[in-house]
Amino acid sequence: MMSTSHAVKSPACAARWPVDAPTHTATLSARHGRLWRGGRGVAPCSVRAAGSSNTIGCLEAEPWGAAAPAPALPLRGLHVAAPAPGDDALAVPSEQRVHDVVLKQAALAAAAPRTARIEPVPMDGGLKAAFHRCGEVCQEYAKTFYLATQLMTPERRRAIWAIYVWCRRTDELVDGPNASHISAVALDRWESRLEDIFAGRPYDMLDAALSDTVANFPVDIQPFRDMIEGMRMDLKKSRYRSFDELYLYCYYVAGTVGLMSVPVMGISPDSRAATETVYKGALALGLANQLTNILRDVGEEYVISNRQKGRIYLPQDELEMAGLSDADILDGRVTDEWRSFMRGQITRARAFFRQAEEGATELNQESRWPVWASLLLYQQILDEIEANDYNNFTRRAYVPKTKKLMALPKAYLISLVQAERQRHYSSLT
């Protein structure tokens, strides 16, 4: 239930190189513009797989020394491998395939006790520094989200920061300054490194923060693997024939963030909802944020950035039904056909936001604030697209800072009201 923004100019290397304040902020789930946007003064950097000199990413950190190893952990999870393109499993609709993953994630979480608080775990100086660094990265590039995490317990807050940083590093593999050098082999190495993190063998301090997180929360490895699968799709796929195909991509690069986050944010002990409802809401928030980012960034990502890459993240069959083509998008023409097409896309995104609200209501009280902040802020982006008469080619749907700040107290009030209602209903049963 976080948000992720795609960087046109990568703000990478925040773990080592000082950078100026970014020009944009984002709330931690969706990928185009994926979680992390903006940044100046970027220095060259790399992240290398353990035992390898091959560059595989950004946000570099010092290797995790043998003097402070993380405890060895069993690999968690259900490991539901996503079928590769060409498999017979592709005959199954994407929504059903993702639903199966959600059910398994919910079952894993349901086996863990619901508790309002996580007992503090003593940390050595190395881990404290690792989590502090994760917090700095989050504060630098997702200011609104970072502020909204301050009501969470320290244990949950640190864990969310660690997940944020891993997602950011993963995104930078295909959209950072070294993206042109990234291959499928590099992503395979990154996945191998992920398995080491879950096994308690972190390569650097940022890995160590995530390794500690999965040791203390019932976080499963599958959503992390699926996010890497989304990066593989970006290497080989530039068109999406239908929303079914786009749905799967949005799950990989954004819906997964929600599934990663629920075990950390926690479900309220007063909640009477099924665990599955909460996970469906988390998935829906990721999908909604991703679809919103896609619509917001048509001009910036498609017309400007992706002309050379050739990526268009819109359902081709729906474009054709609206009487539109790739040429219309690349030419940036706002026509009646385009307005009609955009209305339909916005309606779909808002439907996912409504589903996300159902899940957000059931989270622990201190975890609701950042989720509701994301819900409110991203829906304002859709409002701005409409206010711009659907011209997302030359006019960016920008939410002013004052509106962002105003959304925080509103989100906080909603979380308090929901908590009071849950306590009331719980007292009646």
Side-chain angles (χ1 to χ4, degrees), residues 1-5 25-31 34-36 138 141-146 148-149 152 157 159-169 227 253-254 257-258 260-261 265 285-286 289 293 370-371 373-375 377-378:
M1 288 196 169
M2 301 179 286
S3 265
T4 62
S5 276
T25 58
T27 55
L28 182 68
S29 167
R31 195 163 176 265
R34 292 183 281 271
L35 190 69
W36 316 285
C138 186
Y141 299 108
K143 289 180 172 62
T144 304
F145 181 81
Y146 174 84
T149 63
M152 300 174 72
R157 181 168 62 241
I160 286 295
W161 293 344
I163 292 174
Y164 175 99
V165 169
W166 185 88
C167 291
R168 180 190 172 105
R169 299 175 94 180
M227 178 173 277
V253 301
V257 184
M260 297 172 192
S261 305
M265 292 187 165
L285 179 57
N289 285 355
N293 281 330
V371 175
S374 177
L375 274 163
L377 290 170
Y378 265 76

Side-chain angles (χ1 to χ4, degrees), residues 218-275:
V219 178
D220 181 41
I221 196 173
Q222 187 60 47
F224 295 82
R225 284 176 166 162
D226 285 348
M227 178 173 277
I228 297 173
E229 187 64 28
M231 305 304 114
R232 293 189 178 102
M233 287 183 73
D234 257 342
L235 291 182
K236 59 193 176 186
K237 193 173 183 67
S238 61
R239 294 292 186 279
Y240 294 83
R241 291 175 297 177
S242 64
F243 181 69
D244 183 74
E245 288 190 359
L246 185 62
Y247 182 98
L248 185 62
Y249 174 76
C250 290
Y251 159 70
Y252 280 148
V253 301
T256 50
V257 184
L259 302 188
M260 297 172 192
S261 305
V262 171
V264 173
M265 292 187 165
I267 301 173
S268 171
D270 296 325
S271 172
R272 296 185 295 177
T275 305

Side-chain angles (χ1 to χ4, degrees), residues 298-421:
V298 167
E300 186 172 336
E301 297 291 343
Y302 308 161
V303 179
I304 301 173
S305 300
N306 283 329
R307 186 182 293 274
Q308 292 181 334
K309 296 178 183 177
R311 297 177 188 166
I312 294 182
Y313 296 91
L314 295 170
Q316 294 289 299
D317 59 348
E318 295 179 18
L319 284 169
E320 292 173 6
M321 285 189 292
L324 297 166
S325 66
D326 290 359
D328 294 317
I329 297 174
L330 295 176
D331 289 344
R333 292 183 291 173
V334 180
T335 62
D336 288 342
E337 290 81 5
W338 177 251
R339 292 185 184 93
S340 177
F341 172 79
M342 285 297 300
R343 290 189 193 100
Q345 302 303 307
I346 289 174
T347 297
R348 174 185 283 147
R350 284 185 171 140
F352 282 117
F353 277 123
R354 287 193 295 272
Q355 186 178 2
E357 291 176 2
E358 297 177 11
T361 302
E362 308 302 330
L363 293 173
N364 272 325
Q365 180 180 344
E366 70 273 8
S367 298
R368 291 176 191 154
W369 192 24
V371 175
W372 271 102
S374 177
L375 274 163
L376 296 177
L377 290 170
Y378 265 76
Q379 290 182 81
Q380 288 181 15
I381 294 174
L382 297 178
D383 296 339
E384 294 296 324
I385 293 174
E386 291 174 328
N388 290 341
D389 192 29
Y390 306 101
N391 180 5
N392 43 2
F393 296 116
T394 61
R395 300 183 64 185
R396 181 176 175 82
Y398 174 72
V399 179
K401 186 176 181 180
T402 53
K403 284 190 176 181
K404 290 182 180 179
L405 293 176
M406 288 172 61
L408 288 176
K410 183 177 179 181
Y412 180 58
L413 179 61
I414 291 173
S415 66
L416 289 180
V417 171
Q418 289 177 342
E420 185 59 34
R421 285 177 179 172

Side-chain angles (χ1 to χ4, degrees), residues 80-101 104 229 241 244-245 248 252:
V80 185
D87 288 357
D88 291 339
L90 282 179
V92 179
S94 295
E95 189 170 354
Q96 181 60 51
R97 294 164 59 196
V98 173
H99 179 67
D100 292 342
V101 176
K104 293 183 173 78
E229 187 64 28
R241 291 175 297 177
D244 183 74
E245 288 190 359
L248 185 62
Y252 280 148

